[in-house]
Amino acid sequence: MSKSKDKVGGSKQFRWLPPMHEMMLKILAEEAGKCNKPSSTFRADSFALVAKEITAQFGVECHPSYVDNRMRTLRTMWSTIQTLRKKSGFGWDDNLKMITCDAKTYQEEVMAHRKHADYLNKKIDFYDELAIVVGKDTATGDFSKSYVDLENEPDNGDSAEFVADNVEEGEVEKGKNAVESSTIGSGISKSRKRARAPSTGDDSVLTDLSDQLKDIAVALKEINRGPMDYTALYNEVMAFTAEGYSEDMLATAFDHLCENEKTTRGFLTKNARLRKLWIDGFLFSQL
């Protein structure tokens, strides 16, 4: 028993098992939300907390230095993901957190970089947590906004609004200077309001866009909430026989989807082009 423990927890042989990886990301994402990530890295106490929880949960000796070393691996992973997202020929499915590409592009990329197969045409686990822990996002920033947040958020570039608000809250000198600053603040606020006032046409466009986003959000919720219709799934998959796929190949894809409900719901959410990309990637991975 102790030999096994040493193999997992030894200073040079510590192995990060998937549940440990998940626990580390979730704890550090929470730590970021508590402002314990003042810059591009975390406070030492955050790494100590991760080490303590992993030691208690998995019965292995985990030191904060192991967590620090793991962060380097995560930064490398994040860099690879972002490089692929920006690369020509690759797309991004934000709903599934998946880098997409066709079979030819997939084959060329994997031939050149075999390990990149881990990030292509498959859901990137804990992408949101990675974005907070090693990316530039923060737990309270743009990363965590929903459709509703975006709808109610003021336009970008409105620094004048914050200047005016600060003046009204009294964050200036008392006396005459305070009166002058308040007057200036009011002028800026009025100027800002005049500059941002949309025309009737613009307002109509924004309203339509807002309604569309709401419809998309509702549709996604309904897809994820309702029972799985495997007959409909079979018909959707077999429809790709018209694209030249054999029935046997598509049956393999259908069986895989039946075994993975989350993947199935994501597949049904996609449009025809993205479904074809998924099938291309899946069938290529079976070769």
Side-chain angles (χ1 to χ4, degrees), residues 18-260:
M20 298 178 183
H21 172 83
E22 178 181 355
M23 175 177 282
M24 173 180 170
L25 286 174
K26 289 185 175 180
I27 291 175
L28 290 182
E30 292 176 358
E31 287 294 290
K34 298 174 183 176
C35 298
N36 288 330
K37 184 188 177 187
S39 57
S40 60
T41 189
F42 287 85
R43 302 183 191 277
D45 289 348
S46 298
F47 288 171
L49 176 61
V50 173
K52 177 182 177 182
E53 292 298 322
I54 289 177
T55 297
Q57 182 71 24
F58 298 98
V60 298
E61 188 174 1
C62 181
H63 296 291
S65 60
Y66 302 167
V67 181
D68 190 19
N69 289 335
R70 183 63 176 175
M71 284 289 290
R72 299 174 190 174
T73 301
L74 296 181
R75 290 190 185 100
T76 300
M77 289 171 56
W78 184 252
S79 177
T80 300
I81 292 169
Q82 298 309 307
T83 298
L84 287 171
R85 284 189 59 178
K86 298 174 183 177
K87 200 169 183 179
S88 177
F90 294 89
W92 174 249
D93 187 325
D94 194 53
N95 181 43
L96 294 179
K97 309 300 179 187
M98 181 172 72
I99 300 171
T100 59
C101 63
D102 58 33
K104 182 176 181 294
T105 303
Y106 179 95
Q107 185 174 8
E108 291 174 350
E109 184 66 26
V110 173
M111 288 288 288
H113 306 281
R114 182 172 57 85
K115 293 185 177 180
H116 287 186
D118 294 337
Y119 308 107
L120 300 177
N121 290 335
K122 60 180 66 175
K123 185 180 187 304
I124 299 174
D125 291 331
F126 310 111
Y127 180 90
D128 290 349
E129 287 81 359
L130 274 170
I132 295 174
V133 173
V134 292
K136 294 182 180 180
D137 290 317
T138 61
T140 57
D142 289 346
F143 170 77
S144 61
K145 291 173 183 172
S146 65
Y147 288 120
V148 176
D149 296 324
L150 291 173
E151 179 187 352
N152 296 328
E153 182 183 36
D155 294 343
N156 292 328
D158 294 333
S159 57
E161 177 178 6
F162 299 107
V163 172
D165 289 345
N166 287 340
V167 170
E168 291 170 3
E169 291 171 6
E171 294 185 8
V172 293
E173 301 179 45
K174 294 182 178 180
K176 180 179 180 181
N177 289 339
V179 175
E180 292 175 352
S181 298
S182 179
T183 303
I184 294 173
S186 299
I188 293 174
S189 180
K190 292 177 181 178
S191 174
R192 174 180 58 78
K193 290 178 181 177
R194 285 196 298 270
R196 289 178 57 195
S199 65
T200 303
D202 291 340
D203 188 50
S204 177
V205 171
L206 291 174
T207 301
D208 290 343
L209 179 59
S210 174
D211 290 341
Q212 290 175 24
L213 288 175
K214 288 180 181 178
D215 291 341
I216 291 172
V218 171
L220 290 175
K221 287 180 180 179
E222 290 301 321
I223 289 174
N224 290 329
R225 184 186 306 163
M228 188 63 62
D229 187 344
Y230 289 101
T231 300
L233 173 65
Y234 179 81
N235 292 333
E236 292 294 340
V237 173
M238 289 303 165
F240 284 93
T241 54
E243 300 288 340
Y245 299 98
S246 72
E247 187 175 4
D248 290 345
M249 294 170 65
L250 292 174
T252 300
F254 173 72
D255 290 341
H256 175 78
L257 288 170
C258 288
E259 295 172 358
N260 298 271

Side-chain angles (χ1 to χ4, degrees), residues 101-104 106 121 240 243 245 273-287:
C101 63
D102 58 33
K104 182 176 181 294
Y106 179 95
N121 290 335
F240 284 93
E243 300 288 340
Y245 299 98
R273 184 181 69 83
L274 292 178
R275 288 179 183 179
K276 184 177 184 301
L277 286 177
W278 183 90
I279 289 177
D280 285 341
F282 172 77
L283 294 179
F284 182 81
S285 69
Q286 301 302 302
L287 298 179

